[in-house]
Amino acid sequence: MKIFPSYNPQRVALYVKTLFRGRLYIKGIGAFEFDMGKILLPKVCDKIHFNVMAEVNREVQELRAEFA
């Protein structure tokens, strides 16, 4: 499990894209699981978690488009 001390969507997206499957924790926000290069819908689904998930998944898509 990777622990990010602060929320930076680009760094989190690069980590998710690179490892493809696993878990991560963002200090001040919470824990997330990812599979197939995307953050999965969190078990505790409040607005903050949902927004982080959507933003990071969008960044992953942009990274894939850059390297394709």
Side-chain angles (χ1 to χ4, degrees):
M1 175 188 278
K2 169 80 170 168
I3 299 173
F4 290 92
S6 62
Y7 176 56
N8 183 338
Q10 291 85 15
R11 292 182 83 191
V12 175
L14 187 60
Y15 179 77
V16 169
K17 182 183 175 293
T18 303
L19 286 187
F20 206 69
R21 184 173 195 207
R23 294 175 27 172
L24 61 93
Y25 180 84
I26 302 170
K27 203 170 210 171
I29 297 175
F32 295 90
E33 291 185 22
F34 58 96
D35 192 12
M36 296 179 15
K38 286 184 164 182
I39 292 186
L40 303 173
L41 192 62
K43 291 180 172 87
V44 177
C45 192
D46 59 1
K47 191 168 183 126
I48 294 171
H49 283 86
F50 186 77
N51 288 339
V52 169
M53 178 198 72
E55 187 173 14
V56 171
N57 285 341
R58 216 176 7 255
E59 289 289 332
V60 169
Q61 290 293 63
E62 289 177 15
L63 284 173
R64 285 184 182 157
E66 270 183 40
F67 294 112

